[in-house]
Amino acid sequence: MYLKGIIANGFKSFADKLTISLDGKNTCIVGPNGSGKSNVVDAVRWVLGEQSVKSLRGEGSMSDVIFSGSKSRKALNVASVELIFDNTDHFLNVPYTEISLKRKVYRSGENEYYLNGERCRLKDINNLLMDTGMGKESFNIISQGEVDKILSHSASDRRVIFEEASGILKYRKRKEEALRKLEKTHNNMDRVNDIIHELDLQLAPLKEQREDALFYLENKKGLDHYEVALLAYDISHIHMQLEEEQKDKEKKDQELLLLSSDTSKNDAKMIENHYRLEQLEKEKQDLNERLLKVTEEVERIHGEKKLLKEQSKTTKEENELKEESRILLEQKSKIEGNLATIKEDLKLIIED
Ligand code: ATP
């Protein structure tokens, strides 16, 4: 794999589209101070994911890399750089023989990344370049003054540089990751052991509860059986009671029917008796009147008799008067007898 070409447009001093072909014949770029040689290196590092503006010799924000204008040209609003790699040896782990990495930045500060023309994330580019020695931190690109920096690094920092360059950083990182995971797993295991211990403590009471629950379930079945039987018995018993009550009701209905017929009969009899009572009352009144008349007659005859006696009338007249008196007395006692019978009848009717 090798870098085949660089296409820059609007990046730093490259206001016009710049195409550098690296076909194996070019080995270096020369030029006077300030002619933009370092800008080419910045462009490469920028596409490879450089995020520090200072490393790119900018001032404040990433939009500083956009051509800022000159005496003869206006400033631009967008900068882009594209790197084209030959990957016929498949050094980069993708199925393409040529790979294009492109980065774009707008004045707003928004960055865009492209892999073979497809929009992608910075992370995708970092993953692709990891351990190839081409990452932004790699030392394939050594800027001015950085040789010094490498020499002044501590041994462990230098080791990182060599590991990255030799491609074992990936394994070191994986090892570190694995160790981190292992430690996490150990911690998790400790927690699991704690939980197991905790659960062990709960085991005995749970066992007791389980036995209770089993006992309950077993007896619940029996209880259900008895409850069903009891219910069936209750139902049949109630059913029988109901039938009896039904019969009783029918009997009572019958009686009620008879009583109501009796009542109507009694009502009729009462009306009849009432009528009869009225008649008897009337008869009684008539008889009373007659009795009064007879009594008056008797008294009158007694008076006459007495008078006759006094006047010493003849015995014949006396006998006639006696006879008349006797007949009247008989009538009186007969009327009194009738009256007693009527009273008796009246009493019976009233009782009825
Ligand atoms: P030296 O040999 O001194 O290191 P050089 O050839 O490497 O110089 P660079 O440092 O690459 O030159 O280029 C510096 C030039 O780039 C300066 O002229 C500077 O004005 C110009 N430059 C940097 N950033 C921008 C920008 N955003 N817009 C326009 N021109 C820029």
Side-chain angles (χ1 to χ4, degrees):
M1 187 209 61
Y2 66 92
L3 181 62
K4 254 166 79 167
I6 304 167
I7 303 166
N9 201 351
F11 186 84
K12 287 200 168 184
S13 54
F14 311 125
D16 292 318
K17 187 174 176 183
L18 168 81
T19 304
I20 303 172
S21 175
L22 301 165
D23 49 9
K25 292 176 187 161
N26 294 331
T27 52
C28 67
I29 299 170
V30 291
N33 286 351
S35 60
K37 303 182 293 294
S38 297
N39 287 347
V40 176
V41 179
D42 289 342
V44 173
R45 198 187 293 126
W46 186 63
V47 180
L48 297 179
E50 181 58 68
Q51 297 300 306
S52 159
V53 191
K54 284 210 174 123
S55 307
L56 298 165
R57 298 174 302 142
E59 297 278 304
S61 72
M62 197 48 91
S63 59
D64 289 349
V65 300
I66 303 171
F67 176 71
S68 59
S70 65
K71 279 180 196 162
S72 56
R73 293 199 64 154
K74 274 205 317 187
L76 295 174
N77 288 320
V78 60
S80 71
V81 176
E82 185 179 0
L83 305 181
I84 299 161
F85 294 95
D86 182 292
N87 191 39
T88 41
D89 58 357
H90 290 285
F91 179 75
L92 292 177
N93 193 20
V94 279
Y96 309 113
T97 51
E98 189 176 277
I99 294 170
S100 145
L101 300 180
K102 186 175 171 182
R103 183 172 177 180
K104 236 179 179 179
V105 67
Y106 296 90
R107 273 273 168 235
S108 60
E110 192 193 344
N111 280 272
E112 286 175 0
Y113 298 88
Y114 297 86
L115 179 58
N116 277 10
E118 293 282 325
R119 183 93 185 258
C120 67
R121 300 166 301 171
L122 170 63
K123 197 179 167 191
D124 299 323
I125 292 182
N126 285 340
N127 286 345
L128 180 72
L129 302 176
M130 189 187 242
D131 278 330
T132 58
M134 285 165 53
K136 66 182 175 69
E137 300 292 346
S138 82
F139 283 84
N140 277 1
I141 301 168
I142 299 174
S143 311
Q144 285 176 36
E146 279 196 342
V147 177
D148 252 11
K149 240 190 310 179
I150 295 169
L151 294 174
S152 62
H153 267 326
S154 69
S156 62
D157 288 343
R158 257 201 308 279
R159 184 192 164 105
V160 173
I161 295 164
F162 289 121
E163 279 176 353
E164 161 78 30
S166 61
I168 63 165
L169 187 65
K170 176 165 66 184
Y171 300 104
R172 207 161 83 107
K173 282 198 173 154
R174 279 188 194 166
K175 185 186 165 194
E176 279 167 11
E177 179 73 10
L179 284 172
R180 257 201 312 278
K181 277 188 186 163
L182 196 66
E183 199 185 329
K184 210 170 152 192
T185 306
H186 274 304
N187 289 341
N188 284 343
M189 266 174 67
D190 286 347
R191 282 196 48 228
V192 168
N193 280 334
D194 287 349
I195 293 168
I196 289 172
H197 179 68
E198 192 65 30
L199 290 176
D200 270 346
L201 294 177
Q202 293 174 12
L203 211 59
L206 280 174
K207 210 171 169 183
E208 269 178 34
Q209 284 178 16
R210 178 182 171 272
E211 274 162 18
D212 287 352
L214 285 174
F215 179 76
Y216 166 78
L217 286 174
E218 204 171 304
N219 286 296
K220 179 81 172 63
K221 270 186 212 162
L223 183 69
D224 286 348
H225 179 73
Y226 287 124
E227 275 179 352
V228 169
L230 189 66
L231 210 63
Y233 171 76
D234 281 352
I235 289 169
S236 77
H237 187 66
I238 288 169
H239 197 67
M240 273 162 64
Q241 269 185 343
L242 192 72
E243 274 179 359
E244 272 173 32
E245 300 281 334
Q246 198 76 30
K247 277 182 195 162
D248 204 31
K249 184 180 168 282
E250 278 167 17
K251 206 172 146 193
K252 291 267 159 59
D253 281 347
Q254 206 66 30
E255 279 176 15
L256 195 67
L257 207 65
L258 285 172
L259 278 174
S260 61
S261 117
D262 278 0
T263 309
S264 44
K265 271 185 201 163
N266 284 339
D267 282 350
K269 200 173 170 190
M270 208 163 89
I271 291 165
E272 196 187 311
N273 284 341
H274 190 71
Y275 177 68
R276 174 99 180 101
L277 189 68
E278 274 178 1
Q279 272 186 335
L280 286 171
E281 281 288 351
K282 208 174 161 199
E283 275 177 38
K284 184 187 159 193
Q285 207 176 345
D286 289 350
L287 285 169
N288 272 335
E289 278 170 13
R290 273 179 68 194
L291 186 67
L292 196 69
K293 276 181 189 165
V294 168
T295 311
E296 280 171 5
E297 192 70 15
V298 168
E299 276 174 6
R300 188 185 61 80
I301 288 165
H302 270 300
E304 276 180 11
K305 190 181 158 189
K306 210 172 168 183
L307 196 69
L308 284 172
K309 254 184 185 173
E310 280 170 8
Q311 290 172 353
S312 303
K313 288 192 173 172
T314 60
T315 317
K316 193 183 169 192
E317 281 174 327
E318 204 176 311
N319 285 343
E320 278 173 10
L321 283 170
K322 267 185 185 173
E323 185 60 28
E324 205 177 335
S325 168
R326 191 190 57 78
I327 291 165
L328 285 170
L329 279 171
E330 264 178 23
Q331 277 184 1
K332 186 190 170 195
S333 75
K334 210 173 171 183
I335 287 167
E336 278 175 351
N338 276 347
L339 200 64
T341 315
I342 286 169
K343 274 184 180 170
E344 199 62 38
D345 277 359
L346 205 63
K347 196 179 156 197
L348 283 173
I349 286 166
I350 289 166
E351 276 173 12
D352 249 5

mmCIF file of all heavy atoms in Angstrom, residues 294-313 321 325 328:
data_model
loop_
_atom_site.group_PDB
_atom_site.id
_atom_site.type_symbol
_atom_site.label_atom_id
_atom_site.label_comp_id
_atom_site.label_asym_id
_atom_site.label_seq_id
_atom_site.Cartn_x
_atom_site.Cartn_y
_atom_site.Cartn_z
ATOM 1 N N VAL A 294 -151.970 -4.806 73.876
ATOM 2 C CA VAL A 294 -152.616 -5.862 74.692
ATOM 3 C C VAL A 294 -152.528 -5.496 76.169
ATOM 4 O O VAL A 294 -153.513 -5.617 76.916
ATOM 5 C CB VAL A 294 -151.981 -7.223 74.402
ATOM 6 C CG1 VAL A 294 -152.402 -8.268 75.424
ATOM 7 C CG2 VAL A 294 -152.349 -7.697 73.005
ATOM 8 N N THR A 295 -151.317 -5.041 76.596
ATOM 9 C CA THR A 295 -151.133 -4.668 78.001
ATOM 10 C C THR A 295 -152.100 -3.554 78.378
ATOM 11 O O THR A 295 -152.748 -3.602 79.436
ATOM 12 C CB THR A 295 -149.680 -4.203 78.239
ATOM 13 O OG1 THR A 295 -148.800 -5.152 77.689
ATOM 14 C CG2 THR A 295 -149.347 -4.035 79.709
ATOM 15 N N GLU A 296 -152.215 -2.603 77.454
ATOM 16 C CA GLU A 296 -153.141 -1.494 77.708
ATOM 17 C C GLU A 296 -154.580 -2.010 77.828
ATOM 18 O O GLU A 296 -155.325 -1.626 78.739
ATOM 19 C CB GLU A 296 -153.052 -0.473 76.563
ATOM 20 C CG GLU A 296 -151.873 0.460 76.679
ATOM 21 C CD GLU A 296 -151.690 1.317 75.431
ATOM 22 O OE1 GLU A 296 -152.534 1.262 74.482
ATOM 23 O OE2 GLU A 296 -150.668 2.027 75.381
ATOM 24 N N GLU A 297 -154.901 -2.965 76.915
ATOM 25 C CA GLU A 297 -156.248 -3.575 76.911
ATOM 26 C C GLU A 297 -156.513 -4.304 78.217
ATOM 27 O O GLU A 297 -157.580 -4.178 78.842
ATOM 28 C CB GLU A 297 -156.360 -4.519 75.700
ATOM 29 C CG GLU A 297 -157.738 -5.017 75.380
ATOM 30 C CD GLU A 297 -158.673 -3.935 74.831
ATOM 31 O OE1 GLU A 297 -158.158 -2.817 74.427
ATOM 32 O OE2 GLU A 297 -159.880 -4.147 74.820
ATOM 33 N N VAL A 298 -155.441 -5.101 78.621
ATOM 34 C CA VAL A 298 -155.555 -5.878 79.876
ATOM 35 C C VAL A 298 -155.785 -4.920 81.038
ATOM 36 O O VAL A 298 -156.667 -5.140 81.888
ATOM 37 C CB VAL A 298 -154.310 -6.741 80.099
ATOM 38 C CG1 VAL A 298 -154.275 -7.322 81.514
ATOM 39 C CG2 VAL A 298 -154.244 -7.871 79.099
ATOM 40 N N GLU A 299 -155.019 -3.884 81.038
ATOM 41 C CA GLU A 299 -155.150 -2.913 82.136
ATOM 42 C C GLU A 299 -156.544 -2.260 82.118
ATOM 43 O O GLU A 299 -157.176 -2.055 83.172
ATOM 44 C CB GLU A 299 -154.060 -1.854 82.001
ATOM 45 C CG GLU A 299 -152.761 -2.325 82.639
ATOM 46 C CD GLU A 299 -151.630 -1.346 82.381
ATOM 47 O OE1 GLU A 299 -151.869 -0.258 81.807
ATOM 48 O OE2 GLU A 299 -150.476 -1.693 82.741
ATOM 49 N N ARG A 300 -156.985 -1.985 80.872
ATOM 50 C CA ARG A 300 -158.313 -1.369 80.752
ATOM 51 C C ARG A 300 -159.387 -2.313 81.277
ATOM 52 O O ARG A 300 -160.267 -1.947 82.077
ATOM 53 C CB ARG A 300 -158.581 -1.021 79.281
ATOM 54 C CG ARG A 300 -159.828 -0.206 79.047
ATOM 55 C CD ARG A 300 -160.076 -0.027 77.576
ATOM 56 N NE ARG A 300 -160.270 -1.273 76.858
ATOM 57 C CZ ARG A 300 -161.430 -1.966 76.837
ATOM 58 N NH1 ARG A 300 -162.490 -1.569 77.520
ATOM 59 N NH2 ARG A 300 -161.492 -3.099 76.150
ATOM 60 N N ILE A 301 -159.240 -3.626 80.897
ATOM 61 C CA ILE A 301 -160.211 -4.647 81.325
ATOM 62 C C ILE A 301 -160.164 -4.791 82.837
ATOM 63 O O ILE A 301 -161.211 -4.869 83.513
ATOM 64 C CB ILE A 301 -159.968 -5.973 80.615
ATOM 65 C CG1 ILE A 301 -160.389 -5.813 79.153
ATOM 66 C CG2 ILE A 301 -160.726 -7.142 81.257
ATOM 67 C CD1 ILE A 301 -159.907 -6.892 78.226
ATOM 68 N N HIS A 302 -158.889 -4.815 83.355
ATOM 69 C CA HIS A 302 -158.735 -4.910 84.825
ATOM 70 C C HIS A 302 -159.460 -3.745 85.481
ATOM 71 O O HIS A 302 -160.188 -3.920 86.510
ATOM 72 C CB HIS A 302 -157.242 -4.876 85.227
ATOM 73 C CG HIS A 302 -156.635 -6.266 85.289
ATOM 74 N ND1 HIS A 302 -157.109 -7.252 86.126
ATOM 75 C CD2 HIS A 302 -155.615 -6.813 84.585
ATOM 76 C CE1 HIS A 302 -156.424 -8.353 85.950
ATOM 77 N NE2 HIS A 302 -155.478 -8.123 84.983
ATOM 78 N N GLY A 303 -159.304 -2.596 84.870
ATOM 79 C CA GLY A 303 -159.945 -1.368 85.402
ATOM 80 C C GLY A 303 -161.463 -1.504 85.361
ATOM 81 O O GLY A 303 -162.149 -1.233 86.355
ATOM 82 N N GLU A 304 -161.952 -2.016 84.221
ATOM 83 C CA GLU A 304 -163.388 -2.186 84.046
ATOM 84 C C GLU A 304 -163.904 -3.202 85.044
ATOM 85 O O GLU A 304 -164.976 -3.036 85.673
ATOM 86 C CB GLU A 304 -163.689 -2.642 82.623
ATOM 87 C CG GLU A 304 -163.757 -1.465 81.646
ATOM 88 C CD GLU A 304 -164.068 -1.941 80.227
ATOM 89 O OE1 GLU A 304 -164.430 -3.135 80.050
ATOM 90 O OE2 GLU A 304 -163.899 -1.124 79.295
ATOM 91 N N LYS A 305 -163.086 -4.322 85.166
ATOM 92 C CA LYS A 305 -163.448 -5.422 86.076
ATOM 93 C C LYS A 305 -163.598 -4.883 87.493
ATOM 94 O O LYS A 305 -164.583 -5.169 88.221
ATOM 95 C CB LYS A 305 -162.361 -6.487 86.011
ATOM 96 C CG LYS A 305 -162.711 -7.769 86.718
ATOM 97 C CD LYS A 305 -161.506 -8.708 86.566
ATOM 98 C CE LYS A 305 -161.526 -9.760 87.667
ATOM 99 N NZ LYS A 305 -160.307 -10.510 87.662
ATOM 100 N N LYS A 306 -162.561 -4.114 87.773
ATOM 101 C CA LYS A 306 -162.549 -3.543 89.120
ATOM 102 C C LYS A 306 -163.798 -2.649 89.321
ATOM 103 O O LYS A 306 -164.499 -2.748 90.359
ATOM 104 C CB LYS A 306 -161.277 -2.693 89.268
ATOM 105 C CG LYS A 306 -160.742 -2.628 90.649
ATOM 106 C CD LYS A 306 -159.387 -1.913 90.567
ATOM 107 C CE LYS A 306 -158.901 -1.550 91.934
ATOM 108 N NZ LYS A 306 -157.674 -0.820 91.838
ATOM 109 N N LEU A 307 -164.040 -1.907 88.272
ATOM 110 C CA LEU A 307 -165.183 -0.992 88.313
ATOM 111 C C LEU A 307 -166.485 -1.772 88.424
ATOM 112 O O LEU A 307 -167.374 -1.444 89.242
ATOM 113 C CB LEU A 307 -165.176 -0.129 87.040
ATOM 114 C CG LEU A 307 -166.019 1.110 87.045
ATOM 115 C CD1 LEU A 307 -165.439 2.154 88.009
ATOM 116 C CD2 LEU A 307 -166.096 1.740 85.651
ATOM 117 N N LEU A 308 -166.609 -2.844 87.676
ATOM 118 C CA LEU A 308 -167.790 -3.696 87.677
ATOM 119 C C LEU A 308 -168.004 -4.318 89.030
ATOM 120 O O LEU A 308 -169.143 -4.432 89.534
ATOM 121 C CB LEU A 308 -167.682 -4.759 86.596
ATOM 122 C CG LEU A 308 -167.943 -4.279 85.164
ATOM 123 C CD1 LEU A 308 -167.627 -5.365 84.176
ATOM 124 C CD2 LEU A 308 -169.390 -3.862 84.976
ATOM 125 N N LYS A 309 -166.828 -4.775 89.549
ATOM 126 C CA LYS A 309 -166.893 -5.382 90.891
ATOM 127 C C LYS A 309 -167.483 -4.368 91.856
ATOM 128 O O LYS A 309 -168.350 -4.679 92.676
ATOM 129 C CB LYS A 309 -165.498 -5.786 91.348
ATOM 130 C CG LYS A 309 -165.271 -7.274 91.291
ATOM 131 C CD LYS A 309 -163.896 -7.579 91.866
ATOM 132 C CE LYS A 309 -163.587 -9.032 91.702
ATOM 133 N NZ LYS A 309 -162.246 -9.327 92.081
ATOM 134 N N GLU A 310 -166.960 -3.217 91.748
ATOM 135 C CA GLU A 310 -167.409 -2.171 92.655
ATOM 136 C C GLU A 310 -168.876 -1.857 92.436
ATOM 137 O O GLU A 310 -169.617 -1.574 93.364
ATOM 138 C CB GLU A 310 -166.555 -0.891 92.421
ATOM 139 C CG GLU A 310 -165.231 -0.962 93.091
ATOM 140 C CD GLU A 310 -164.356 0.174 92.635
ATOM 141 O OE1 GLU A 310 -164.802 1.104 91.924
ATOM 142 O OE2 GLU A 310 -163.128 0.120 92.964
ATOM 143 N N GLN A 311 -169.258 -1.864 91.211
ATOM 144 C CA GLN A 311 -170.654 -1.534 90.887
ATOM 145 C C GLN A 311 -171.574 -2.748 91.074
ATOM 146 O O GLN A 311 -172.760 -2.688 90.729
ATOM 147 C CB GLN A 311 -170.742 -0.998 89.460
ATOM 148 C CG GLN A 311 -170.120 0.359 89.325
ATOM 149 C CD GLN A 311 -170.036 0.805 87.861
ATOM 150 O OE1 GLN A 311 -170.345 0.015 86.945
ATOM 151 N NE2 GLN A 311 -169.645 2.042 87.656
ATOM 152 N N SER A 312 -171.023 -3.835 91.585
ATOM 153 C CA SER A 312 -171.762 -5.090 91.848
ATOM 154 C C SER A 312 -172.589 -5.516 90.658
ATOM 155 O O SER A 312 -173.834 -5.672 90.677
ATOM 156 C CB SER A 312 -172.700 -4.911 93.072
ATOM 157 O OG SER A 312 -172.005 -4.530 94.183
ATOM 158 N N LYS A 313 -171.993 -5.629 89.570
ATOM 159 C CA LYS A 313 -172.652 -6.101 88.357
ATOM 160 C C LYS A 313 -172.937 -7.566 88.446
ATOM 161 O O LYS A 313 -172.424 -8.254 89.316
ATOM 162 C CB LYS A 313 -171.800 -5.757 87.159
ATOM 163 C CG LYS A 313 -171.847 -4.282 86.878
ATOM 164 C CD LYS A 313 -171.243 -4.007 85.545
ATOM 165 C CE LYS A 313 -171.453 -2.556 85.217
ATOM 166 N NZ LYS A 313 -170.752 -2.167 84.048
ATOM 167 N N LEU A 321 -166.527 -11.242 81.486
ATOM 168 C CA LEU A 321 -165.295 -10.435 81.566
ATOM 169 C C LEU A 321 -164.087 -11.261 81.964
ATOM 170 O O LEU A 321 -162.989 -11.081 81.441
ATOM 171 C CB LEU A 321 -165.476 -9.276 82.578
ATOM 172 C CG LEU A 321 -166.283 -8.100 82.079
ATOM 173 C CD1 LEU A 321 -166.594 -7.137 83.228
ATOM 174 C CD2 LEU A 321 -165.523 -7.347 80.998
ATOM 175 N N SER A 325 -160.878 -11.764 79.929
ATOM 176 C CA SER A 325 -159.572 -11.490 80.550
ATOM 177 C C SER A 325 -158.606 -12.664 80.380
ATOM 178 O O SER A 325 -157.417 -12.482 80.069
ATOM 179 C CB SER A 325 -159.800 -11.162 82.027
ATOM 180 O OG SER A 325 -158.619 -11.155 82.719
ATOM 181 N N LEU A 328 -157.340 -12.834 76.845
ATOM 182 C CA LEU A 328 -156.326 -11.780 76.627
ATOM 183 C C LEU A 328 -155.004 -12.134 77.301
ATOM 184 O O LEU A 328 -153.933 -11.918 76.736
ATOM 185 C CB LEU A 328 -156.828 -10.431 77.151
ATOM 186 C CG LEU A 328 -157.876 -9.736 76.275
ATOM 187 C CD1 LEU A 328 -158.481 -8.537 76.999
ATOM 188 C CD2 LEU A 328 -157.249 -9.281 74.964
#
